Amino acid sequence: MSFNNGARWTNVPDPARKPARRDTTDRRNARDRKRLGRRPAKHLGWAGLRGDSSEEGAVQLEDGVHPATTDDERHAIYRQRYEIYVAEMGRYRSIADHENRWLVEPIDASSRLFYAVRDGELVGSIRLSLGVDGALTRELIEKYSLDAFLDELTPDDIIVGERFMVNQSHRGSDALFSMFTTYMRLVNELRIQIMIGDCEPHLLNVYQALGFRPYAPQNINSPEAGYLIPLVIVAEDIGYVRGLESPLAEVMADFGHDKRIPSCVTELVDRPS
């Protein structure tokens, strides 16, 4: 999960390692909007949060954050990922589809994808893998050391957020915060207890200030992704987030006396390093 700088999230460094290929991306986005907009877009609303289908082939072009429920929407997200992760940051070259200029992974098939639109352009996207959907594969569990949580929680209590990216042209806008708001609405609706992500070491202080905490006995280290620190945030522990004066408190639900704070999280984040 890589957060780019949002309007209300200041001092978040740009994770990109290379200048963006703006001309190429702009031409491709214009072409995609022309091709994908050949049919009137149907407003998807929040139906997609529960996996409902929408008009086949339609891509939402109005401003907002929308669930990707069609092949065209998913393909547009894969192209955006390619431009950011592969063309801009030089990552995932060995698994990317260079012919179609896509970055698609097996976990996408069982995950929920969302995308942000500004002025008719796809400017951000996120992948959410939910245990309730059967998306917590053994590979994902091992990658994020989730077995320690699963001793107390069920897969339905866990969500993993990844591929959280915003186009360079919209870093510093509200696109990032809008996507996180969508993320939290889904978490609150399903009463998911913990949210899992990761960050690069130089961003750890930034993420901790937002409310995320490292928990894993070992970090993630791969040739494609580099060195990443697994992070967790308890979805209903709004008191902790408010204590940090984190902007995430704005989009977290306050469940009052009904809040749930898993003891396994407390044990893991308080464990001596």
Side-chain angles (χ1 to χ4, degrees), residues 1-210:
M1 178 172 55
S2 299
F3 288 127
N4 291 307
N5 191 8
R8 284 176 281 184
W9 297 1
T10 58
N11 301 320
V12 179
D14 185 346
R17 301 291 178 83
K18 298 180 181 180
R21 298 174 60 179
R22 296 288 301 282
D23 292 340
T24 301
T25 303
D26 290 344
R27 286 197 301 272
R28 185 170 296 104
N29 284 338
R31 183 177 70 241
D32 290 343
R33 289 198 300 271
K34 181 177 180 181
R35 183 179 71 83
L36 297 178
R38 64 190 181 274
R39 301 174 64 177
K42 178 180 179 181
H43 183 63
L44 303 179
W46 291 104
L49 293 180
R50 293 178 293 275
D52 298 343
S53 62
S54 64
E55 179 181 353
E56 183 179 358
V59 172
Q60 180 59 265
L61 298 178
E62 67 180 63
D63 284 4
V65 179
H66 313 288
T69 58
T70 69
D71 286 343
D72 279 346
E73 289 171 314
R74 285 177 170 262
H75 295 170
I77 290 172
Y78 301 155
R79 281 191 292 274
Q80 186 235 11
R81 281 191 204 156
Y82 186 98
E83 292 303 327
I84 293 177
Y85 279 106
V86 183
E88 183 180 343
M89 300 177 68
R91 297 183 179 178
Y92 301 103
R93 293 185 181 278
S94 67
I95 65 171
D97 181 343
H98 299 287
E99 181 178 353
N100 291 308
R101 297 184 71 86
W102 286 359
L103 179 57
V104 56
E105 299 160 276
I107 191 65
D108 287 312
S110 57
S111 299
R112 306 192 194 191
L113 308 184
F114 294 83
Y115 62 99
V117 173
R118 293 293 182 273
D119 299 322
E121 177 187 358
L122 188 156
V123 301
S125 61
I126 182 174
R127 177 174 71 212
L128 303 178
S129 303
L130 290 75
V132 71
D133 293 338
L136 291 189
T137 62
R138 173 44 53 181
E139 180 181 358
L140 206 60
I141 290 171
E142 292 179 355
K143 176 182 177 181
Y144 288 103
S145 303
L146 299 181
D147 279 323
F149 296 119
L150 291 170
D151 287 340
E152 176 181 349
L153 304 175
T154 71
D156 291 1
D157 297 319
I158 301 174
I159 187 169
V160 177
E162 299 177 300
R163 303 293 175 262
F164 204 157
M165 299 297 285
V166 175
N167 293 356
Q168 189 179 62
S169 60
H170 283 74
R171 293 169 198 165
S173 73
D174 67 345
L176 177 68
F177 198 80
S178 296
M179 286 194 293
F180 199 87
T181 299
T182 298
Y183 185 3
M184 284 306 309
R185 287 188 183 182
L186 175 59
V187 167
N188 295 335
E189 176 184 318
L190 298 178
R191 293 297 300 270
I192 292 171
Q193 294 196 46
I194 62 172
M195 303 158 63
I196 302 295
D198 55 45
C199 75
E200 297 179 4
H202 71 282
L203 293 175
L204 180 58
N205 288 341
V206 175
Y207 281 86
Q208 287 181 309
L210 292 173

